Amino acid sequence: MSQPAASILIVDDEPQNRKLLETLLRPEGYLTQCAANGEAALIAIQQHMPDLILLDVMMPGMDGYQVAEAVKANPCTSHIPIIMVTALIERGARLRGLNSGAEEFLTKPIDRAELWLRVRNLLRLKAYSDFLQNHSAILEQEVQARTARLQQFRSAMDATADAILLASRSALRFVEVNATACDMFGYSRDELMQLGPIELAEATHTAAAELLDFMVSGAETTEFREVVLRRKDGSEFKVEMSRTAHRTGDDWLIVGVLRDVTERDAAQQRLHQLAHYDTLTGLPNRTLFYQTLESSLALAADSAIRVAVMCVDLDQFKNLNDTLGHALGDELLRQFSTRLVKCVRVRDSIGRLGGDEFALIVEMRDGQDCATQVASQIRDFLRTPFDLKGHQFAVTASIGISLFPDDASNSDELMKYADTAMYRAKRAGRDTFRFFTAQMNDEILARLELETALRNALENKEFTLHYQPKVRLDNGRIAGLEALLRWQRPGVGLVLPKQFIPVLEETGLIVRVGAWVISEVCEQIGRWARASIEPVSVSVNVSDRQFLEGDLESLVTRSILANGISPELLELELTEGSMITNTERTISCLKVLKSQGVQISIDDFGTGYSSLAYLRRFPIDTLKIDIAFIRDITSNPDAATIVRAIMQMAHSLKLEVVAEGVETEAQLAVLRSQGCDYIQGYYYSRPLAMPEIETLLREDRRLPMPVGQPASPPKTLLLVDDEALTLAAIQLALHQEGYHILTAQSAAQGFELLALNEVHVILCDQRMPNMNGTEFLNRVMELYPDTLRIVLSGYIEIETILRAINCGAIYRFYTKPLDNRILRNNIREAFRHHGLLRARAGAQPTDLRQSEGVTTH
Ligand code: C2E
Ligand code: MG
Ligand code: MG
């Protein structure tokens, strides 16, 4: 398409000049127009917008300069090039022309070629500048249109309730985010644009990695997922995120749309709460309770656990509600539910089925007592009245219990039966509980009755003590008694401990009853002393709860002092159980009592913990081997081995051993051969009530010695000391030990007694007037080599004594002053050693010169 012809305005006041120029330009294809003066020229310019102006300078009216200035001052015409046509050629006129805006000059007379060239060049320049101007205007329009579109898009994005984030996959940076995203994360748009998906991910590495994987996985798919993200302030929140990926050249543009689901979750939670929980008490409602029951039953069936379902109903609630008004009635239910929660363990469940009806699921891992305990606890908790706006209201509850799998195996039936049982409890006078099964009720009722009866037994003086003797095997004599509790239950008769001690222990009554036993035994020891019955030690069984809850230490001390008895006549028997519960407290209590002289033994040894390490920590004198081992000792090699091992271990720890429950001669024979110290059991005597045990003590009936074996001569101990008081003290300390004790106040008397008696062990003071101890024992060694000789001395004479030891005259030497318990242990040890050496030497008289060393206890 050909360009339109350029139009040229010729402005000149001289018509021949205008004509000339027109004539010169037209043949070149230009369109011409003419104006005879400046004013007409400006009008023509406005109207026709010529492409070029040929402007005469000298004109009447507006001259050429003024016209040029006006054209250039108008933005619509300023782009039109002007060629000034003038006769003036001086410099000042040219500068003025340029200054007023003219682009070129032509001087008259006009050179045709110059005119054409100047016109052509200027028109070309104008065409180029027009093109540029037009093009930039188009560009500008385009930019404006785009900006407007982007603005519209942003506004639309910003108006969206979801957060929108665009990220570059390769840079892992956001390239665009909307206002909701900024609000959601708490960043300004600029801040957010500096970040990328990783910075918004939850703190954990795995979550960040997962989010990243999800965001940058290149597939162009839309996926939904819930993720936890982090705000600028560090708080975390959950969003539902959908993501699309778009290819952009080599990169992917990831578009993430995020919705905060915190409120949605909360709403769902609220809905769940409303659907499953009771609004008044916050407890699970009937629906949730049934669901829980179903799953508890499924679990219990798998693991063979019993489950109790309990229906709890407040007694007379309707009346209360009517009198108090519903607001206070509701408050009562709220308080009641709080108490109910305290009655169950974490693994149990509670629900409010409606009104004043509550239900419990109790797992019975520890026997059926659990349900009874929970029921009793509910009743106990209700004993404290409820405080309703300052008024106290006592309320009771009736409870019905059904058992899985005993009564039924599905939830509906169990609930129905628990309900039936609850109505039975109501009929039985309320404030009580009933099992669905009759037999259960009988057992529970019997147990409750037993508890009530035991609570009164102490006040009603229904407890009594029987005493069972314990016998020394080497002389067959009674060496002590064990006090055993009996209950003379009205209407029933004599009840043995195994039927009531566990109940006393569970209810804690054992603390009071145990205290009674201790004071009764101390009183009895006192009575026997006054009745001139030979002193005999009595052991008392002590349960762990007495260490934990009773002040055993001061109780024992008070009882001993009150009755003026020797502490050595009282022995405490504890079980291995008390050694492991509250060990430190038990040890410190026992140590105090032990230091006063009280004897300590471990009962039923071998059935419990039986740890040597533990034994060493306790100040124990005696081990009592449990009847379970003794029962089989003649027939079961394992039992015999265990008993022998216990005996050896005990002896090496300097403990004495009592075998419990010896019933036959054969058991006795085995125990004898194993070196047992004492036996207790029906073989010698059953536990006896008061007159019988006294008769037995007075009779001093001995255990028959084995057939064919003469009763071994009593262990004879010769004490030599010039001080009568020391002799008496040692005799008293050894009184219980059953030795035949001879005393001499001088070496001469000692020799006399040695000639008249078969003496086994001699304990002699070093400092004596006429002949000192070592000298005396040196001579005795020559005369009676199979005696075991011990000297009692201070450290001063140590050299003399060492000489005596070295030449074999002395077996041991003990330093003064001697503690009674150590003395007893040492003398026991000496006799045991003497016996061993004699046994080793057979019937041959032995020279006991070989000394074992020096003992300073
Ligand atoms: P324990 O302390 O081991 O008492 C020995 C039990 O064995 C006594 O039973 C006794 O009668 C029984 N027994 C003795 N010789 C024989 C025998 O040859 N054959 C058989 N089969 N049994 C024999 P008891 O009196 O029924 O006492 C049972 C348990 O009750 C005692 O066992 C003791 O643990 C506990 N107990 C008794 N009195 C008290 C007490 O006052 N306080 C405490 N905490 N517990 C006591
Ligand atoms: Mg005992
Ligand atoms: Mg026992």
Side-chain angles (χ1 to χ4, degrees):
M1 212 169 75
S2 64
Q3 289 281 326
S7 67
I8 297 169
L9 178 68
I10 302 161
V11 187
D12 204 315
D13 55 329
E14 295 286 342
Q16 66 274 20
N17 286 352
R18 297 201 293 271
K19 190 82 194 156
L20 172 69
L21 286 170
E22 274 193 302
T23 313
L24 289 174
L25 291 169
R26 277 213 179 126
E28 291 303 309
Y30 298 114
L31 295 175
T32 57
Q33 238 191 320
C34 293
N37 56 48
E39 290 79 4
L42 289 178
I43 293 166
I45 292 166
Q46 281 294 335
Q47 282 175 353
H48 305 293
M49 284 292 164
D51 294 312
L52 190 129
I53 303 168
L54 286 170
L55 183 60
D56 182 30
V57 176
M58 302 301 286
M59 287 186 296
M62 281 182 93
D63 62 12
Y65 301 126
Q66 287 171 316
V67 173
E69 275 165 9
V71 169
K72 294 295 172 184
N74 183 346
C76 296
T77 55
S78 62
H79 65 287
I80 306 174
I82 300 174
I83 301 173
M84 281 200 161
V85 185
T86 174
L88 303 170
I89 46 160
E90 70 273 19
R91 186 174 168 268
R94 291 175 76 94
L95 282 178
R96 193 167 164 208
L98 286 172
N99 193 36
S100 58
E103 273 82 9
E104 289 287 357
F105 282 89
L106 270 176
T107 43
K108 292 176 186 171
I110 303 287
D111 176 347
R112 188 168 47 175
E114 189 186 351
L115 170 72
W116 287 342
L117 283 172
R118 288 203 190 271
V119 166
R120 190 196 70 189
N121 288 351
L122 267 184
L123 280 174
R124 270 191 193 161
L125 260 175
K126 171 162 186 297
Y128 185 63
S129 106
D130 281 357
F131 169 78
L132 280 181
Q133 207 164 4
N134 285 345
H135 190 70
S136 69
I138 290 168
L139 275 181
E140 198 171 314
Q141 270 173 13
E142 252 177 43
V143 168
Q144 274 173 4
R146 261 191 206 186
T147 316
R149 275 204 305 277
L150 198 70
Q151 209 55 51
Q152 276 175 349
F153 181 66
R154 262 207 176 162
S155 311
M157 267 183 45
D158 287 349
T160 312
D162 293 335
I164 303 172
L165 297 109
L166 278 62
S168 145
R169 184 193 168 185
S170 59
L172 285 176
R173 283 279 164 273
F174 294 121
V175 293
E176 189 56 83
V177 296
N178 72 348
T180 315
C182 299
D183 290 347
M184 188 182 274
F185 290 97
Y187 289 105
S188 71
R189 199 184 293 264
D190 289 343
E191 285 173 331
L192 203 50
M193 297 285 276
Q194 301 298 313
L195 308 176
I198 300 176
E199 284 88 351
L200 302 186
E202 202 189 7
T204 61
H205 269 305
T206 40
E210 204 184 303
L211 178 69
L212 197 62
D213 287 348
F214 172 64
M215 288 206 70
V216 302
S217 58
E220 292 172 70
T221 54
T222 307
E223 279 185 61
F224 282 93
R225 142 173 329 198
E226 284 193 354
V227 285
V228 176
L229 298 177
R230 204 166 23 160
R231 297 193 184 90
K232 184 181 179 184
D233 64 11
S235 57
E236 288 174 352
F237 65 113
K238 194 153 70 161
V239 298
E240 186 187 75
M241 177 163 93
S242 74
R243 178 214 70 116
T244 49
H246 307 272
R247 260 239 173 268
T248 51
D250 290 344
D251 198 4
W252 287 88
L253 181 69
I254 317 277
V255 181
V257 179
L258 277 54
R259 180 169 296 180
D260 187 339
V261 291
T262 317
E263 275 185 22
R264 183 199 69 187
D265 284 2
Q268 276 174 356
Q269 182 77 28
R270 269 198 300 282
L271 269 178
H272 184 268
Q273 180 83 18
L274 282 174
H276 292 93
Y277 291 86
D278 168 41
T279 38
L280 179 66
T281 60
L283 291 179
N285 62 13
R286 183 181 283 271
T287 316
L288 181 57
F289 182 82
Y290 264 81
Q291 281 173 11
T292 315
L293 181 56
E294 297 278 350
S295 42
S296 300
L297 295 183
L299 210 77
D302 286 346
S303 44
I305 297 172
R306 291 170 87 197
V307 172
V309 177
M310 304 171 71
C311 277
V312 184
D313 193 276
L314 286 175
D315 296 326
Q316 313 280 23
F317 178 73
K318 196 180 163 329
N319 293 352
L320 259 172
N321 208 23
D322 292 345
T323 352
L324 293 171
H326 289 267
L328 284 190
D330 283 355
E331 177 57 23
L332 174 65
L333 290 174
R334 256 195 298 272
Q335 291 189 21
F336 174 66
S337 70
T338 314
R339 292 194 192 180
L340 208 51
V341 170
K342 290 185 187 147
C343 297
V344 296
R345 299 151 308 173
V346 189
R347 61 170 182 263
D348 301 330
S349 310
I350 307 184
R352 182 178 174 220
L353 306 186
D356 60 333
E357 216 185 311
F358 293 81
L360 270 61
I361 305 165
V362 177
E363 270 188 26
M364 305 211 296
R365 287 172 198 265
D366 322 318
Q368 68 197 39
D369 275 359
C370 291
T372 323
Q373 276 165 17
V374 172
S376 308
Q377 201 158 23
I378 295 173
R379 294 176 60 221
D380 280 351
F381 267 122
L382 289 179
R383 296 206 199 292
T384 322
F386 289 94
D387 187 331
L388 301 175
K389 292 249 161 74
H391 299 287
Q392 310 286 310
F393 287 94
V395 181
T396 58
S398 299
I399 303 162
I401 308 167
S402 65
L403 296 178
F404 167 89
D406 316 56
D407 297 334
S409 55
N410 68 66
S411 52
D412 286 334
E413 278 185 13
L414 283 166
M415 287 301 294
K416 198 171 77 192
Y417 293 160
D419 210 45
T420 311
M422 189 266 289
Y423 280 104
R424 281 189 206 147
K426 293 245 184 227
R427 273 204 302 279
R430 302 193 177 90
D431 186 18
T432 186
F433 61 91
R434 283 290 179 272
F435 280 87
F436 177 69
T437 316
Q439 185 208 338
M440 272 304 246
N441 282 327
D442 293 348
E443 280 171 24
I444 297 299
L445 283 179
R447 160 76 198 236
L448 282 176
E449 257 179 66
L450 181 65
E451 247 184 75
T452 321
L454 279 170
R455 283 184 201 281
N456 300 325
L458 202 59
E459 280 70 36
N460 296 347
K461 300 197 169 26
E462 289 162 16
F463 288 118
T464 173
L465 291 175
H466 281 191
Y467 294 87
Q468 187 179 33
K470 138 180 119 172
V471 181
R472 267 191 94 91
L473 281 190
D474 57 11
N475 61 11
R477 293 185 66 191
I478 295 176
L481 307 174
E482 175 173 7
L484 293 159
L485 191 59
R486 299 291 181 262
W487 177 26
Q488 195 64 52
R489 188 175 179 186
V492 177
L494 201 67
V495 187
L496 288 174
K498 75 165 185 272
Q499 278 158 342
F500 66 88
I501 293 263
V503 183
L504 289 181
E505 290 190 331
E506 276 162 36
T507 52
L509 284 168
I510 193 70
V511 178
R512 274 168 51 218
V513 177
W516 173 81
V517 175
I518 290 173
S519 65
E520 176 61 23
V521 163
C522 291
E523 274 177 39
Q524 187 55 58
I525 296 173
R527 280 196 288 270
W528 277 330
R530 288 190 294 281
S532 305
I533 288 180
E534 240 198 90
V536 61
S537 76
V538 183
S539 62
V540 171
N541 293 286
V542 181
S543 97
D544 2 341
R545 283 189 82 150
Q546 288 177 265
F547 283 99
L548 286 172
E549 294 159 42
D551 188 357
L552 198 67
E553 196 181 304
S554 66
L555 169 75
V556 169
T557 315
R558 267 187 283 119
S559 303
I560 289 171
L561 283 175
N563 294 288
I565 60 167
S566 160
E568 278 145 31
L569 294 181
L570 183 68
E571 181 170 324
L572 301 182
E573 286 189 13
L574 39 140
T575 56
E576 288 172 89
S578 13
M579 296 170 76
I580 36 176
T581 47
N582 212 15
T583 309
E584 298 314 319
R585 189 161 158 198
T586 307
I587 290 180
S588 84
C589 168
L590 289 178
K591 279 192 173 155
V592 173
L593 294 176
K594 177 86 209 173
S595 69
Q596 293 169 11
V598 175
Q599 302 285 296
I600 315 286
S601 60
I602 299 295
D603 205 354
D604 306 338
F605 188 79
T607 53
Y609 198 61
S610 312
S611 156
L612 255 183
Y614 252 82
L615 276 187
R616 296 186 98 110
R617 299 183 57 199
F618 287 78
I620 303 163
D621 304 280
T622 312
L623 282 193
K624 298 186 80 173
I625 303 179
D626 192 72
I627 185 169
F629 301 102
I630 309 303
R631 200 176 283 130
D632 295 347
I633 198 170
T634 52
S635 54
N636 182 344
D638 287 345
T641 311
I642 290 171
V643 171
R644 184 179 294 114
I646 294 176
M647 224 117 53
Q648 281 168 357
M649 175 198 77
H651 286 152
S652 69
L653 289 172
K654 299 215 162 50
L655 303 178
E656 291 200 291
V657 178
V658 180
E660 288 190 292
V662 178
E663 293 184 350
T664 65
E665 203 175 328
Q667 289 168 340
L668 174 65
V670 175
L671 288 163
R672 224 188 255 286
S673 73
Q674 291 186 343
C676 185
D677 303 290
Y678 307 88
I679 59 143
Q680 182 180 338
Y682 297 170
Y683 180 71
Y684 177 79
S685 165
R686 286 179 173 265
L688 300 173
M690 197 35 77
E692 287 85 24
I693 190 69
E694 275 188 13
T695 315
L696 190 67
L697 288 175
R698 285 186 205 279
E699 273 175 4
D700 188 19
R701 177 161 62 81
R702 313 278 173 105
L703 185 73
M705 283 299 150
V707 205
Q709 190 187 317
S712 60
K715 292 175 179 171
T716 307
L717 172 70
L718 172 63
L719 300 176
V720 189
D721 198 314
D722 56 319
E723 280 174 44
L725 267 177
T726 313
L727 286 176
I730 297 176
Q731 247 180 316
L732 195 69
L734 298 175
H735 178 82
Q736 280 287 304
E737 302 291 290
Y739 307 131
H740 177 216
I741 301 179
L742 306 167
T743 55
Q745 275 188 268
S746 65
Q749 250 181 35
F751 286 127
E752 222 174 280
L753 287 170
L754 279 164
L756 292 172
N757 299 279
E758 188 189 334
V759 173
H760 306 114
V761 176
I762 303 163
L763 181 64
C764 175
D765 184 33
Q766 169 68 359
R767 290 194 160 194
M768 290 190 298
N770 294 325
M771 187 184 292
N772 68 24
T774 35
E775 215 179 313
F776 170 68
L777 291 177
N778 261 320
R779 290 208 199 165
V780 173
M781 175 183 72
E782 301 298 330
L783 293 166
Y784 306 100
D786 54 351
T787 52
L788 209 136
R789 298 164 295 274
I790 302 167
V791 77
L792 255 176
S793 87
Y795 276 100
I796 318 152
E797 304 95 345
I798 195 94
E799 269 188 35
T800 337
I801 290 162
L802 279 176
R803 260 201 311 282
I805 288 172
N806 288 340
C807 72
I810 298 177
Y811 159 69
R812 294 270 162 102
F813 95 90
Y814 303 151
T815 49
K816 285 177 172 178
L818 258 184
D819 172 274
N820 282 352
R821 192 173 61 89
I822 295 166
L823 174 73
R824 265 194 301 271
N825 281 341
N826 286 337
I827 298 292
R828 258 179 229 157
E829 178 65 21
F831 273 108
R832 200 173 289 132
H833 191 71
H834 181 267
L836 263 175
L837 292 174
R838 274 176 63 127
R840 235 183 263 161
Q844 299 299 312
T846 329
D847 184 347
L848 296 183
R849 267 181 242 200
Q850 57 274 57
S851 159
E852 283 203 340
V854 175
T855 301
T856 58
H857 66 269

